[in-house]
Each structure stands twice: as structure tokens, then as C-alpha cells.
Amino acid sequence: MTVYIDPPDWPGHGRMWSHLVSDVSYDELHAFARLLRIPARAFERDHYDIPSHRYEDAVRAGAVRVRSREVVRLLHASGLRRPKGRPGPGGHPDPVGRPDSAA
């Protein structure tokens, strides 16, 4: 399992954030997030938003550090990129592969 994380350079809600992605599947990404006990609500279309205080936890668990541009490149190359407003399967704008909220 390889997942990737960019530096916590993204401001929002009074803190800084990273993005956690997979270049293989949403299932792989969700499994890694469950391992770290990241809540399902942190999943945003094609990535998890990770607060800066959890960045090192993700790296220690095996996430590979990459630059933000690399996160986008990996998502595009894998076909997993889901920009805002882009419909998922069946024409619904909901995120593809959204994790079960009970997980």
C-alpha cells in the first residue's frame, strides 16, 4: 500500500492542512485513513484533508512525502482526480468511493 501526502501548506478553518491521496484506488486510501483513525468526514472528493498536527502520524504510518503538485499529478495519472462539480458514476456529483460513515 502506497499513499502520498503533501506538506501542510493549505490554510483553512484556522489551521494548516495536507492532502492524503492514493494513486491506486479509493479503497486503498480509505483503508489507510481507517488505520490512522481519520474520520470519514475528512474525505473530500478524491483525497483526505489532514490537519498539520496529524502530518507526521501519516508519514510514520507509511505515507510518502510529496510536493503538492505531485499530489495532483498522481491523481490525474491514476484517473482518480475528481474536481469540484465533476459527476461521479451514474452522473451524481457525490464523491466516488466515499467511505462508509460508520467506518
Side-chain angles (χ1 to χ4, degrees):
M1 174 185 299
T2 303
V3 297
Y4 303 88
I5 191 165
D6 64 359
D9 291 339
W10 302 93
H13 308 287
R15 61 175 76 178
M16 300 301 282
W17 300 84
S18 293
H19 301 105
L20 184 71
V21 303
S22 169
D23 66 345
V24 173
S25 71
Y26 295 113
D27 289 339
E28 176 185 60
L29 180 59
H30 299 321
F32 190 85
R34 282 191 301 273
L35 175 76
L36 288 175
R37 299 180 194 263
I38 297 169
R41 69 180 178 273
F43 183 68
E44 180 69 31
R45 294 182 318 277
D46 55 14
H47 66 276
Y48 279 88
D49 290 324
I50 307 297
S52 59
H53 71 275
R54 297 293 317 273
Y55 177 81
E56 289 299 330
D57 295 339
V59 171
R60 278 192 297 277
V64 175
R65 299 174 203 245
V66 295
R67 298 184 66 161
S68 296
R69 289 183 185 206
E70 185 68 4
V71 163
V72 175
R73 190 197 69 72
L74 288 162
L75 286 171
H76 278 287
S78 67
L80 296 175
R81 180 75 174 121
R82 299 285 182 218
K84 283 185 180 177
R86 179 177 168 188
H92 298 290
D94 297 331
V96 174
R98 186 156 190 97
D100 184 326
S101 59

